[in-house]
Amino acid sequence: MTGAHRDNLPDWALEASLGIFIHWGAYAVPAWAEPEHVAGEPEPEGGWFKHSSYAEWYANTIRIEGSLAGAHHAEVYGSAPYEDFLDQWKAEAYDPAEWARLFRSLGADYVVPVTKHHDGVTLWDAPGSEGFNTVDRGPKQDLLTPLAEAVRAEGMRFGVYYSGGLDWKITDNPPIVETDDIWRYRPNDAEYTAYATAHVRDLIDRYRPSVLWNDIEWPETGKEDGSLDALIAHYRSEVPDGIVNDRWGADIWDYRTSEYSMAADHETGVGWEHNRGLGSSFGYNRVEDASFTLSPLALAKHYADVVSRGGRLLLNVGPDASGRIPEIQVRTLEGVAEWMRALKPYTAGRSFPGGDKATVSAEDDVWFRFWASGDRLVVVADRPDAVKIDAPGFEVVAIALPE
């Protein structure tokens, strides 16, 4: 496996500060997980996977002996297989143009939908996926093409997420109950490598995605036989200003990612990406209420913190099975949209003033973050008038957090 880095991120990625992640799949039908256990924080008794807050992992969690998800499934659905949810998923209220308008109202730069998650369901008629995609079953439509068109019509870039490392439709293994099981049970053979490679190549050829976002590494055969090198080379050729994330298990990444409190050591320099949900799940979890969901103020602070440290925020929404973004999520997004749009002109080209160029300080009870954007020093604070700023040579822009 040869290294395939960019020397520098393209200008659009350096200037971008907000992406929208979309986890939408058959798991939106049961839409259930324990919401209390935020990923990366101290594990609950019995382990993270048994008590996973990720609703998109439902197919795995219900198979773990003694899990609350398993008990919930038995009570509500009896012994019905997970595959039944694909047929029950109708997407009858899906309006990609409405989604795109909402994302644009936040000042989003790019949108990255899940095209295949670990359950193996593809949201388009992927080659070789016959009988297990949203064109043949469930929604009975290609969910990606109209979204790509709507996103681009609103002036945003379109990317794709693909689970290269796990596919529970392909494998027939015990459930994942500890992290080592991921690497023990993920498919690595030539047949799956060819299958996944054909999918991603098709995504590249159809959608020319600005972001190629893989998850849980890539099958080992593909790393060893040169096919991953060839796939990335094809992407570079087709999308010269496209960027590749760091979850391939190979030296091909353009930028580093972190997730909730996991991989915080990747949050250095400029151009890294932090991803998380509005709650403790990526897929829609009907159990999540306001207590588990970022408020407009909390989201504003999180966004400002990521921007101040040189990163991009990839913020996830989880639509319900009909295709509606749940009201509790919309409430937060609409509540912070005006503030985020007002901040947007000051997030591009950010850098870090140091030495005697700028000094920003405040009392301990004052929350603030700051960065340079060109010749402007941007300060975001809950009480801007309580922040002391000494920034010779900078135009100071002080922005209060939303109410």
Side-chain angles (χ1 to χ4, degrees), residues 18-83:
L18 179 65
I20 300 295
F21 224 177
I22 307 171
H23 278 64
W24 192 33
Y27 41 82
V29 175
W32 200 95
E34 296 180 55
E36 296 86 1
H37 312 297
V38 178
E41 295 187 359
E43 289 196 1
E45 185 176 351
W48 158 256
F49 294 97
K50 183 176 181 178
H51 298 282
S52 175
S53 64
Y54 286 0
E56 67 276 12
W57 277 70
Y58 187 84
N60 184 76
T61 314
I62 60 175
R63 298 173 62 207
I64 298 175
E65 185 177 355
S67 69
L68 292 183
H72 167 81
H73 185 80
E75 179 182 355
V76 178
Y77 304 105
S79 59
Y82 176 82
E83 189 170 334

Side-chain angles (χ1 to χ4, degrees), residues 19 78 91 173 184 243 253 260 338:
N173 292 318
R184 187 177 297 125
I243 57 176
W253 54 273
Y260 288 92
E338 183 177 359

Side-chain angles (χ1 to χ4, degrees), residues 366-369 379-384 387 399-401:
V366 177
W367 189 97
F368 70 94
R369 295 291 186 271
V379 179
V380 175
D382 54 2
R383 289 188 287 135
V387 179
I399 298 175
L401 288 165

Side-chain angles (χ1 to χ4, degrees), residues 51 84 129 249:
H51 298 282
D84 283 4
S129 70

Side-chain angles (χ1 to χ4, degrees), residues 179-208:
T179 301
D180 285 348
D181 289 340
I182 293 176
W183 317 117
R184 187 177 297 125
Y185 298 144
R186 67 190 183 97
N188 285 306
D189 58 277
E191 184 177 2
Y192 176 68
T193 297
Y195 179 76
T197 299
H199 284 188
V200 175
R201 190 179 181 96
D202 192 51
L203 289 170
I204 293 167
D205 293 343
R206 288 201 199 196
Y207 303 111
R208 300 295 194 272

